[in-house]
Amino acid sequence: MSDIDWDALRDRAIEMTKRAYAPYSNYPVGVAGLTDDGRVVAGCNVENAGYGVTLCAECGMVSELHATGGGRLVAVYCVDGRGEALMPCGRCRQLLWENGGAECLLMTPEGVHPMTQVLPQAFGPDNLAQRP
């Protein structure tokens, strides 16, 4: 964890809040993640008048992850419009698990936690491999 530049991830996440499209909630969210090959990927929330079609910031980040070569997320920092650490919603925790796994670290309002604490007993690719 000592080789992760959490300040740089936070700064990138804050930058992404400025690009958020949040005309309905006025609640911009930005996120940045460090990949296993050293890239930083980022995203912002994109709202929609059909609320169920809204994209969380983590969705954009995971899209950038795959669009720029794939890999695994190692560390993630999500912030609100004030730059404060924000706990991802349940759907996004699942996205982080799928793309970072149990070892992925997440900055939370309570400090850094591995995904095993953020999404305990998560369902993932290993479960699918155990199909009857």
Side-chain angles (χ1 to χ4, degrees):
M1 185 165 68
S2 61
D3 57 339
I4 297 169
D5 188 345
W6 289 103
D7 290 335
L9 286 177
R10 180 176 180 267
D11 289 347
R12 181 75 171 124
I14 290 171
E15 177 187 334
M16 295 307 294
T17 64
K18 309 299 186 237
R19 299 179 184 191
Y21 177 71
Y24 306 108
S25 70
N26 292 311
Y27 196 86
V29 177
V31 66
L34 176 66
T35 67
D36 55 358
D37 66 1
R39 287 176 293 131
V40 173
V41 292
C44 61
N45 58 322
V46 178
E47 294 181 348
N48 189 288
Y51 293 131
V53 191
T54 293
L55 297 175
C56 295
E58 295 85 347
C59 295
M61 179 185 67
V62 167
S63 181
E64 183 178 343
L65 171 71
H66 290 283
T68 61
R72 303 291 285 164
L73 293 169
V74 173
V76 175
Y77 205 133
C78 185
V79 300
D80 62 19
R82 298 169 298 150
E84 300 295 322
L86 183 65
M87 180 61 82
C89 70
R91 173 183 173 215
C92 290
R93 293 181 205 190
Q94 184 67 39
L95 282 172
L96 297 178
W97 184 277
E98 181 80 14
N99 292 280
E103 302 81 27
C104 182
L105 299 174
L106 178 66
M107 179 61 75
T108 76
E110 297 179 348
V112 178
H113 292 291
M115 287 303 300
T116 53
Q117 289 181 350
V118 176
L119 189 63
Q121 301 182 45
F123 182 88
D126 292 342
N127 298 99
L128 293 176
Q130 299 171 13
R131 283 181 265 192

